[in-house]
């Protein structure tokens, strides 16, 4: 492999790593609109106009710093790990070094302006979101003439890189709503090289298809596991390529596995609320129980799928109705107040959420593509400018990574479900019993009990791990809490083959997350192995694997991955 090829491969790998840490998730971003960023920009503009003395002081400070840079006295340098300025030209060329230092000084002056205003803490946080977006946008790496790697490639290719970049740009204008493509979608096809674990749809109702997977061992444990994914992305995040498929891992370890594939709603389904989804999930649970011959099941929910699973579980009430023996929750915030710790907390106010709810009510749906665009602007270096440089300035194709393909395969949310999720911020029903009734049943976590296993990611900025620790506390005494050394999606896609995997594990006896850190056991490797042992101990007797899928009552309808995943 040539030096240029190695550099391109390294760059693609870095883009994948950055983007995979920032995959789309339902909460708390679901309550944020583009107008909220516009309002934040208005706060910043008003602060500058109302406090000209502060603005003048920051300007004079910046001008003074430019003098130090010109005199060669400035020691400014980008933050450690800032890959934008990894090209050696930024150090070796006095012109580029001066440009970089001037850019850093300007960014510091702009942020300092916000810090020195008399804005409230919440308004300062909002203003900082805008200044960071602005500062990232004008980075010298984002233009052809001031990006040394782009200039070098233009010369090396005789201008071909520019023509390839222009083609990519116009393709994105036509096909990706003007946003730089994050992934080469032509490299993947669901059912052919993604979501290929054998199985069949054994139940289809208006909201979901239930997939039963083909056992991979001669014997299985009788109590099955049913996986409930979030509603804002397709279900197959847990069944990507075989080497990172959680579904395949479970099957190889004798766990009977079922998965829900949610239907992609349209405006005609605007009235599907949380109660509708809970009722549909109850049908899926009954089908899994009947097919497996087990009185009860284990259930797993991730992110908003965990909220749906817990809401369903909490409505079961008395032991006579109990259908869920074990509950696994991953990167799931049951206490929405915990979302204030996230990057987006400053935009999540009662006013913004009521406005978001009204917009979705009028439209009938929330479009996952719109959420993805908003999310990208909240993380522009990783999700926009990274690809702007790669696709347009360097003229490269976007990378082909399965996680990024899945992330781009967004769905919609019906208005009623969107509104119900936003209402959770006001009622907090998993903490405050009696605040939520679904299908004439009241949610009261004190009246339900299951063995619980809760997973969080230490670098997860979408569902912060300390908030997920609160989820574990809500589930009650005896809950096992796992803190993975990764982010939101990576904490789930963490197979035993991952050499970088490690985690902390322990009960939720500690009162605070920090106390958990001090007392938890630290382990190397993937938490999947501990979870496998946890499930084995709670999945009943070993029985012969079924010779066929489904049952007389629930015959197979179509091979996995089903039909809803293609809508």
């Amino acid at each position: 492999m040539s030096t240029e090829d190695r550099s391109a491969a390294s760059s693609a790998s870095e883009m994948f790593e950055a983007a995979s840490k920032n995959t789309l998730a339902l909460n708390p971003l679901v309550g944020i609109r583009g107008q909220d960023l516009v309002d934040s920009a208005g706060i910043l503009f008003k602060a500058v106009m109302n406090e000209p003395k502060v603005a003048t002081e920051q300007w004079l400070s910046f001008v003074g710093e430019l003098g130090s840079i010109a005199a060669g006295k400035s020691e400014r340098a980008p933050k450690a790990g800032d890959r934008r300025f990894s090209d050696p030209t930024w150090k070796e060329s006095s012109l580029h070094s001066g440009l970089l230092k001037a850019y850093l000084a300007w960014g510091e002056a702009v942020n300092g302006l916000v810090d020195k205003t008399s804005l409230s803490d919440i308004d300062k946080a909002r203003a900082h979101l805008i200044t960071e977006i602005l500062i990232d946008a004008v980075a010298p790496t984002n233009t052809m003439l001031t990006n040394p790697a782009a200039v070098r490639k233009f010369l090396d290719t005789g201008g071909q890189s520019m023509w390839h970049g222009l083609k990519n740009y116009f393709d994105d204008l036509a096909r990706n709503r003007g946003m730089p493509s994050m992934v080469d979608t032509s490299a993947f096809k669901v059912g052919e090289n993604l979501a290929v674990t054998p199985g069949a749809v054994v139940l289809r109702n208006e909201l979901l298809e239930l997939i039963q997977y083909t056992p991979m061992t001669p014997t299985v444990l009788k109590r099955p596991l049913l996986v409930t994914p979030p509603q804002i992305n397709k279900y197959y995040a847990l069944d990507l390529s075989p080497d990172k498929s959680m579904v395949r891992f479970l099957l190889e370890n004798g766990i009977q596995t079922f998965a829900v594939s949610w239907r992609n709603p349209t405006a005609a389904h605007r009235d599907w609320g949380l109660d509708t989804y809970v009722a549909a999930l109850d049908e899926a649970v009954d089908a899994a129980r009947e097919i497996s011959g087990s009185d009860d099941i284990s259930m797993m929910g991730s992110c908003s799928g965990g909220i749906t699973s817990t809401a369903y579980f909490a409505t079961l009430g008395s032991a006579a109705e109990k259908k869920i023996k074990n509950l696994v929750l991953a990167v799931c915030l049951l206490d929405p107040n915990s979302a204030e710790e996230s990057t987006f907390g400053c935009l999540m106010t009662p006013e913004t959420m009521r406005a978001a709810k009204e917009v979705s009510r009028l439209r009938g749906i929330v479009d996952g593509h719109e959420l993805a665009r908003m999310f990208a602007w909240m993380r522009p270096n990783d999700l926009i400018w990274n690809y702007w440089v790669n696709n347009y300035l360097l003229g490269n194709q976007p990378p082909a990574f399965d996680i990024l393909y899945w992330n781009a395969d967004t769905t919609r949310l019906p208005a009623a479900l969107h509104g119900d999720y936003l209402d959770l911020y006001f009622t907090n029903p998993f903490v405050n019993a009696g605040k939520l009734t679904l299908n004439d049943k009241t949610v009261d976590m004190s009246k339900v009990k299951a063995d619980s296993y809760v997973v969080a990611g230490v670098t997860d900025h979408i569902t912060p791990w300390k908030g997920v620790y609160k989820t574990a506390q809500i589930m009650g005494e005896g809950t096992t809490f796992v803190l993975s050394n990764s982010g939101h999606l990576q904490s789930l896609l963490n197979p035993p083959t991952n050499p970088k995997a490690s985690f902390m594990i322990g009960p939720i006896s500690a009162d605070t997350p920090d106390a958990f850190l001090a007392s938890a056991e630290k382990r190397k490797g993937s938490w999947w192995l501990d979870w496998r042992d946890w499930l084995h101990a709670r999945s009943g007797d070993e029985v012969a694997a079924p010779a066929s899928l489904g049952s007389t009552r629930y015959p197979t309808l179509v091979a996995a991955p089903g039909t809803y995943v293609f809508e």
Side-chain angles (χ1 to χ4, degrees):
M1 181 182 290
S2 68
T3 301
E4 184 176 334
D5 289 339
R6 282 195 297 270
S7 177
S10 175
S11 176
S13 179
E14 288 175 353
M15 282 195 297
F16 164 68
E17 182 178 355
S20 63
K21 292 178 180 177
N22 296 287
T23 47
L24 182 64
L26 179 59
N27 56 347
L29 188 64
V30 71
I32 298 175
R33 307 160 299 144
Q35 184 62 41
D36 299 327
L37 290 183
V38 174
D39 293 343
S40 297
I43 291 171
L44 176 61
F45 178 75
K46 190 180 296 184
V48 172
M49 297 303 294
N50 292 344
E51 301 185 55
K53 181 180 178 182
V54 175
T56 301
E57 289 175 351
Q58 290 302 111
W59 170 253
L60 292 176
S61 173
F62 170 60
V63 171
E65 184 62 22
L66 287 181
S68 297
I69 293 170
K73 297 179 180 179
S74 175
E75 298 296 329
R76 289 184 181 276
K79 293 179 180 178
D82 190 340
R83 294 185 296 272
R84 295 176 298 172
F85 304 103
S86 59
D87 191 290
T89 306
W90 292 108
K91 291 181 179 179
E92 297 169 356
S93 164
S94 58
L95 176 63
H96 284 86
S97 176
L99 180 62
L100 170 57
K101 291 176 180 178
Y103 165 70
L104 296 175
W106 177 78
E108 184 177 301
V110 172
N111 276 325
L113 168 64
V114 174
D115 291 332
K116 293 179 180 179
T117 63
S118 58
L119 293 172
S120 66
D121 289 344
I122 187 73
D123 281 345
K124 282 185 179 180
R126 291 174 181 170
H128 271 304
L129 279 178
I130 298 303
T131 59
E132 290 298 335
I133 290 173
L134 177 62
I135 291 167
D136 291 343
V138 300
T141 49
N142 295 339
T143 59
M144 183 75 182
L145 291 178
T146 54
N147 186 314
V151 172
R152 188 163 52 248
K153 187 163 186 182
F154 176 83
L155 296 174
D156 290 345
T157 62
Q160 287 298 307
S161 62
M162 175 180 283
W163 291 114
H164 291 314
L166 285 172
K167 180 181 182 301
N168 290 341
Y169 177 73
F170 286 112
D171 282 348
D172 284 338
L173 279 179
R175 301 175 186 175
N176 201 41
R177 308 185 188 188
M179 294 288 281
S181 295
M182 292 173 57
V183 61
D184 178 6
T185 56
S186 66
F188 301 101
K189 190 169 183 180
V190 174
E192 293 187 7
N193 56 2
L194 297 175
V196 296
T197 303
V201 173
V202 292
L203 167 71
R204 181 186 296 123
N205 59 34
E206 201 174 12
L207 277 80
L208 62 80
E209 288 182 331
L210 179 66
I211 298 170
Q212 181 188 10
Y213 289 97
T214 304
M216 294 185 176
T217 53
T219 60
V220 295
L221 297 172
K222 186 171 184 179
R223 181 174 293 117
L225 174 72
L226 189 153
V227 178
T228 309
Q231 289 94 340
I232 198 61
N233 278 106
K234 300 292 179 66
Y235 85 94
Y236 60 86
L238 302 185
D239 188 28
L240 290 171
S241 52
D243 62 320
K244 62 171 70 81
S245 170
M246 179 183 284
V247 170
R248 181 173 291 270
F249 171 81
L250 291 165
L251 294 170
E252 290 173 344
N253 285 277
I255 303 293
Q256 296 190 76
T257 305
F258 293 78
V260 165
S261 174
W262 296 114
R263 186 177 183 184
N264 193 3
T266 67
H269 307 124
R270 63 175 62 237
D271 295 326
W272 288 357
L274 186 56
D275 55 351
T276 322
Y277 279 83
V278 163
L281 195 55
D282 187 52
E283 288 187 49
V285 169
D286 283 346
R289 292 167 60 223
E290 199 272 346
I291 292 170
S292 65
S294 176
D295 292 335
D296 49 34
I297 69 165
S298 300
M299 176 173 278
M300 177 182 182
S302 58
C303 203
S304 63
I307 296 174
T308 308
S309 297
T310 307
Y312 165 66
F313 166 69
T315 61
L316 294 178
S318 68
E321 294 180 271
K322 193 169 183 180
K323 304 176 183 180
I324 310 299
K325 180 67 174 177
N326 309 303
L327 192 60
V328 181
L329 300 174
V331 294
C332 173
L333 293 176
L334 292 184
D335 180 356
N337 296 321
S338 305
E340 294 176 2
E341 302 170 20
S342 76
T343 307
F344 322 105
C346 65
L347 295 180
M348 293 163 51
T349 67
E351 293 76 19
T352 60
M353 285 189 280
R354 289 190 184 98
K357 184 176 179 180
E358 179 63 14
V359 169
S360 66
R361 186 188 68 80
L362 293 173
R363 293 181 178 178
I365 57 167
V366 174
D367 190 332
H369 287 292
E370 292 183 10
L371 285 183
R373 289 170 67 89
M374 267 296 302
F375 188 72
W377 281 110
M378 303 295 284
R379 296 279 171 175
N381 272 342
D382 289 333
L383 301 179
I384 295 178
W385 301 120
N386 224 347
Y387 296 92
W388 174 276
V389 171
N390 178 78
N391 301 2
Y392 307 153
L393 303 191
L394 298 177
N396 297 328
Q397 286 300 110
F401 288 115
D402 50 7
I403 290 177
L404 300 187
Y405 180 89
W406 165 83
N407 190 52
D409 194 7
T410 60
T411 62
R412 297 173 289 270
L413 290 178
L417 180 66
H418 179 228
D420 287 343
Y421 275 135
L422 292 180
D423 286 344
L424 297 180
Y425 287 90
F426 303 105
T427 59
N428 205 355
F430 300 112
V431 173
N432 303 311
K435 295 291 186 179
L436 177 64
T437 299
L438 299 169
N439 303 316
D440 300 321
K441 296 179 180 180
T442 301
V443 169
D444 184 349
M445 295 300 292
S446 68
K447 294 185 177 179
V448 288
K449 179 65 178 175
D451 283 356
S452 302
Y453 196 96
V454 177
V455 182
V458 70
T459 58
D460 186 351
H461 59 267
I462 300 170
T463 52
W465 79 265
K466 292 184 179 181
V468 180
Y469 187 77
K470 180 62 180 294
T471 292
Q473 291 177 313
I474 291 172
M475 293 310 300
E477 186 178 351
T479 297
T480 298
F481 183 71
V482 166
L483 181 59
S484 176
N485 70 326
S486 48
H488 188 73
L489 182 63
Q490 293 160 309
S491 60
L492 292 180
L493 303 184
N494 204 348
T497 53
N498 179 7
K500 299 179 181 179
S502 66
F503 61 99
M504 303 178 72
I505 187 169
I508 49 99
S509 53
D511 292 336
T512 66
D514 290 335
F516 169 84
L517 279 183
S519 61
E521 178 187 353
K522 300 175 180 61
R523 298 185 190 175
K524 291 183 179 180
S526 169
W527 61 269
W528 285 15
L529 299 175
D530 179 84
W531 180 46
R532 173 200 61 193
D533 296 341
W534 186 90
L535 279 173
H536 277 180
R538 292 165 176 80
S539 295
D541 297 332
E542 194 171 308
V543 297
S548 59
L549 301 181
S551 65
T552 302
R553 184 176 177 184
Y554 297 101
T556 59
L557 304 176
V558 65
T563 60
Y564 282 174
V565 73
F566 296 109
E567 291 187 359

